[in-house]
Amino acid sequence: MSRSKSKSGVSRRTLLRATGAAGLVASAGAVTSNIFSPAIAGPAPKVRLAWTEVAACHSPLGFGVAKGLYAKHNLDVELFFQGASGQTLIQALATGKADVGAGLIGDWLKPLEQGFDVKLFVGSHGGCQRLLASQASGIKDIASVKGKTIASYDVVSPPKVAFQVTLAKAGIDPENDVTWKVVPFDLVGEAVNRGDADIAAQLDPWAFSIEKKFNLVKIADTQTGVYEGHTCCVLGANGPFLKANKDAVRRLAEANIEVYDYVAGHVEETAKWYLDELKPAGLTLAELTEILGSFVLHNHPIGQPLVDQIRKTSEDLKLVKVLDSSTDPTAFAERVTVNLLA
């Protein structure tokens, strides 16, 4: 899923930045200062935030920096393009290239189970993955997925893992009752269109793009069904950075909640920034607006609700043998999170 270079006109070495003194970065024509308030007294601590810049669900992070929402909380946020996979996110924090990262819960939990020194502290949103069937396959629901071939871009891709849970909870063995076919990231939709696979498991905005391009049928997503009320992506902080900057991390959590709530009420404005700055997947403004508008943008648990979300996901990942059978979901969730409200 990694990209060799940014699709935006923004150099990775001159990443979008917000400073407490300057307020707003004029990186997109659509941004204005109408919601910016003076920074809190004192120097703004710098926070390097790892993101996947072309992912639809991460666009609010870049928009929030450009809009001044992080600077409003007296934070100097620098966005670090970490690539587009959970492995590169983990590497960015482990090697000290970033202090905080945004990623799918499913990408965080196995490294955390293995002792990776990061604490999860706030959720961002719900749902950004889709399971899509070809018209020719005749598949209309999860029950009819049994015996079919599903294309995904990695043997442990987040969409594969997410929909293995969906299948398992529907009584379908996610390994033996279906065939998983690994194809290059950009060819997941093509594989289904050519008939090499019956179903595609993919992330947005690419999932949305191939659904429209090839007239695919959405069988499941990570917002409804077994994922109703679940959080999709969360922020995690490097252990040493958190210990030395807990107040800054708390303010980052508050700012992140404000960012996603703002985006929920200003979807087209965010989509315009997304289109102008990142130019994702050749999609139009109307399509990007539709994608962002389809996300559950008010689902950002913190404190005990976040612990509950991590416990639920841990139970799911044990079900499909991603986490060890000996892992206690409740104890694990409490260990890998930090309650910034305490």
Side-chain angles (χ1 to χ4, degrees):
M1 180 176 173
S2 297
R3 292 292 183 271
S4 60
K5 66 177 182 178
S6 166
K7 291 189 176 182
S8 74
V10 183
S11 164
R12 290 185 196 169
R13 289 186 293 273
T14 56
L15 293 166
L16 299 171
R17 183 180 298 216
T19 63
L24 291 175
V25 177
S27 59
V31 300
T32 63
S33 60
N34 61 307
I35 60 167
F36 178 74
S37 65
I40 303 166
K46 184 173 182 175
V47 181
R48 296 169 300 168
L49 173 60
W51 72 324
T52 300
E53 74 173 40
V54 292
C57 59
H58 282 207
S59 63
L61 301 174
F63 174 79
V65 170
K67 189 74 177 177
L69 288 171
Y70 293 102
K72 176 183 175 182
H73 291 261
N74 196 39
L75 295 168
D76 174 4
V77 173
E78 179 180 291
L79 296 173
F80 175 78
F81 178 59
Q82 53 85 14
S85 76
Q87 291 180 339
T88 52
L89 169 61
I90 299 302
Q91 290 168 4
L93 270 69
T95 58
K97 294 176 180 177
D99 308 308
V100 176
L104 295 160
I105 292 182
D107 281 338
W108 284 117
L109 297 192
K110 188 61 181 181
L112 291 174
E113 182 189 49
Q114 295 173 330
F116 184 48
D117 188 12
V118 161
K119 297 292 187 184
L120 305 178
F121 62 91
V122 68
S124 294
H125 66 92
C128 59
Q129 300 167 79
R130 307 177 191 219
L131 194 66
L132 307 165
S134 68
Q135 296 281 351
S137 71
I139 298 169
K140 302 297 182 186
D141 53 27
I142 287 296
S144 54
V145 170
K146 188 173 183 178
K148 303 298 184 179
T149 298
I150 307 173
S152 190
Y153 55 86
D154 193 278
V155 292
V156 289
S157 73
K160 177 182 177 180
V161 173
F163 294 118
Q164 281 184 315
V165 172
T166 300
L167 294 174
K169 289 189 173 183
I172 299 171
D173 187 319
E175 287 295 342
N176 298 315
D177 288 343
V178 297
T179 299
W180 292 94
K181 185 180 182 69
V182 176
V183 301
F185 185 90
D186 293 332
L187 298 180
V188 172
E190 293 284 355
V192 175
N193 188 53
R194 290 196 306 261
D196 296 339
D198 305 295
I199 305 163
Q202 186 58 293
L203 300 160
D204 281 322
W206 305 278
F208 176 92
S209 182
I210 64 174
E211 181 180 355
K212 299 295 184 182
K213 181 178 181 180
F214 300 120
N215 192 28
L216 304 181
V217 179
K218 185 167 72 173
I219 303 304
D221 58 33
T222 51
Q223 294 183 10
T224 57
V226 301
Y227 288 103
E228 186 80 38
H230 276 235
T231 301
C232 182
C233 292
V234 297
L235 268 61
N238 177 284
F241 180 82
L242 173 65
K243 185 176 181 180
N245 300 275
K246 189 170 182 179
D247 184 63
V249 175
R250 178 186 57 77
R251 284 187 277 118
L252 182 67
E254 293 171 347
N256 206 66
I257 290 170
E258 183 174 342
V259 165
Y260 277 85
D261 278 348
Y262 182 86
V263 170
H266 302 82
V267 173
E268 186 170 353
E269 180 186 357
T270 310
K272 175 83 166 55
W273 180 89
Y274 187 17
L275 178 65
D276 291 346
E277 291 299 317
L278 307 179
K279 301 173 178 59
L283 297 169
T284 67
L285 176 61
E287 289 169 333
L288 293 174
T289 301
E290 184 178 349
I291 294 170
L292 289 173
S294 73
F295 293 156
V296 182
L297 294 168
H298 289 301
N299 188 351
H300 28 59
I302 187 170
Q304 187 58 45
L306 178 61
V307 175
D308 294 340
Q309 285 290 318
I310 302 304
R311 176 186 53 77
K312 290 177 186 176
T313 306
S314 301
E315 291 169 351
D316 289 345
L317 295 188
K318 283 188 66 175
L319 180 65
V320 295
K321 300 179 174 60
V322 171
L323 295 186
D324 294 342
S325 60
S326 60
T327 296
D328 180 327
T330 299
F332 176 62
E334 291 172 349
R335 176 173 68 82
V336 302
T337 56
V338 59
N339 185 356
L340 297 174
L341 303 180

